[in-house]
């Protein structure tokens, strides 16, 4: 399929050694007509001591009841790299994917309609866990709907978990970057705590991308939908 310049540019976060993952998601993006670049992810197994010293693990433990492992720190740094690229390249918006995203064939048409319905969005989820929305939802092709998500109360711990695929605007990237440093929370939290960043946040329902077909590269996560069942 020919590339569609009307879609936001796609940045795929992927560790350089993940050749098979890169091939799989490249094939999907090419088939659906997206322009994309890979952003080399930060390997959590090779973090400099300087980065670890600057990471505020106490904040995460106090606020959320758990710490962050090195893979989560690397993942957070990887998403920050994309926010910086959006700002540096002065993009109106961009699609951010992790390399284990599985793109449904409906994605191009649904995304095109969603962007037309709400061009003022700052954050648009393509994949996410539970989210509380306003009752009025816009109809999209193939039975999908576009929902505007509500801000929980300031002290609420309600969070939208899921950073495998989302669209972020220029203003959204600037806001998340303001909140990102020092590293103190997983990437899912930075995007998912709407009551903190206060971005105009929408989501496509049901999810128009999927995940879980590949083994996670961030083992041991103990929050949200990532809680592992240990026998």
């Amino acid at each position: 399929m020919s590339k569609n310049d009307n879609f936001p540019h796609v940045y795929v976060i992927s560790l350089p050694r993940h050749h098979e993952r890169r091939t799989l998601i490249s094939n999907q993006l090419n088939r659906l007509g997206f322009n994309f670049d890979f952003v080399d992810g930060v390997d959590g197994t090779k973090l400099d001591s300087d980065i670890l010293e600057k990471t505020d693990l106490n904040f995460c433990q106090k606020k959320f009841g758990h710490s962050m492992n090195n893979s989560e720190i690397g993942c957070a740094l990887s998403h920050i790299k994309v926010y910086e690229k959006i700002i540096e390249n002065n993009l109106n918006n961009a699609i951010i994917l992790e390399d284990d995203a599985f793109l449904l064939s409906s994605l191009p048409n649904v995304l095109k309609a969603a962007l037309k319905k709400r061009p003022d969005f700052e954050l648009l989820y393509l994949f996410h866990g539970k989210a509380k929305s306003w009752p009025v939802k816009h109809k999209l092709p193939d039975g999908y709907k576009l929902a505007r998500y509500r801000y929980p109360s300031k002290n609420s711990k309600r969070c939208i978990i899921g950073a495998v695929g989302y669209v972020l605007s220029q203003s959204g990237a600037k806001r998340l970057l303001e909140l990102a440093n020092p590293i103190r929370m997983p990437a899912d939290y930075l995007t998912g705590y709407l009551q903190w960043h206060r971005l105009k946040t929408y989501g496509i329902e049901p999810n128009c991308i999927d995940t879980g077909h590949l083994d996670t590269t961030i083992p041991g996560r103990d929050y949200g939908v990532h809680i592992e069942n240990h026998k």
Side-chain angles (χ1 to χ4, degrees):
M1 179 181 290
S2 61
K3 302 297 184 179
N4 192 328
D5 292 329
N6 293 322
F7 287 130
H9 192 76
V10 178
Y11 288 112
V12 182
I13 298 170
S14 179
L15 294 177
R17 67 174 183 270
H18 285 170
H19 305 297
E20 182 178 356
R21 287 172 177 254
R22 291 191 173 205
T23 298
L24 287 172
I25 198 162
S26 293
N27 289 341
Q28 295 178 66
L29 288 164
N30 284 324
R31 175 174 56 85
L32 296 176
F34 288 98
N35 293 295
F36 65 95
D37 288 307
F38 283 103
V39 175
D40 289 343
V42 178
D43 192 336
T45 66
K46 300 178 181 179
L47 293 178
D48 294 336
S49 57
D50 184 53
I51 291 176
L52 294 174
E53 289 175 1
K54 292 179 180 178
T55 301
D56 190 352
L57 296 179
N58 289 331
F59 178 91
C60 196
Q61 183 67 53
K62 182 178 179 180
K63 194 74 177 178
F64 312 120
H66 64 83
S67 187
M68 294 175 68
N69 62 42
N70 285 10
S71 293
E72 289 170 324
I73 295 171
C75 180
L77 288 166
S78 301
H79 282 261
I80 288 171
K81 286 177 69 173
V82 182
Y83 306 157
E84 292 173 339
K85 283 186 175 294
I86 293 173
I87 296 168
E88 290 169 4
N89 295 324
N90 198 29
L91 300 178
N92 289 331
N93 46 62
I95 300 171
I96 302 171
L97 299 177
E98 295 178 346
D99 65 3
D100 60 342
F102 181 81
L103 313 182
L104 303 185
S105 60
S106 57
L107 176 59
N109 287 338
V110 172
L111 178 58
K112 180 180 179 181
L115 295 177
K116 187 176 181 179
K117 292 276 188 183
R118 298 306 314 186
D120 62 337
F121 82 96
E122 292 181 290
L123 174 61
L124 171 63
Y125 279 101
L126 306 176
F127 173 89
H128 56 81
K130 289 183 64 176
K132 193 171 184 179
S133 65
W134 292 100
V136 177
K137 300 181 181 182
H138 298 282
K139 291 184 178 179
L140 300 174
D142 302 323
Y144 286 86
K145 293 183 179 180
L146 179 65
R148 170 78 185 268
Y149 294 135
R150 302 176 65 175
Y151 302 135
S153 62
K154 183 179 179 181
N155 295 321
S156 172
K157 293 188 177 181
R158 199 150 46 82
C159 180
I160 301 175
I161 299 296
V164 71
Y166 55 102
V167 192
L168 191 65
S169 73
Q170 173 79 196
S171 61
K174 289 179 179 178
R175 177 58 178 159
L176 292 186
L177 202 55
E178 288 176 0
L179 297 173
N181 291 299
I183 304 301
R184 50 188 171 167
M185 67 187 82
D188 305 68
Y189 288 7
L190 185 61
T191 56
Y193 273 95
L194 277 57
Q195 58 270 45
W196 291 354
H197 59 60
R198 309 290 292 186
L199 297 180
K200 293 180 182 177
T201 304
Y202 293 82
I204 294 174
E205 300 180 350
N207 295 326
C208 56
I209 68 174
D210 202 356
T211 188
H213 60 294
L214 298 172
D215 291 337
T216 180
T217 58
I218 311 178
R221 289 183 287 184
D222 58 355
Y223 59 88
V225 297
H226 304 301
I227 295 176
E228 296 179 356
N229 294 319
H230 300 286
K231 295 182 179 180

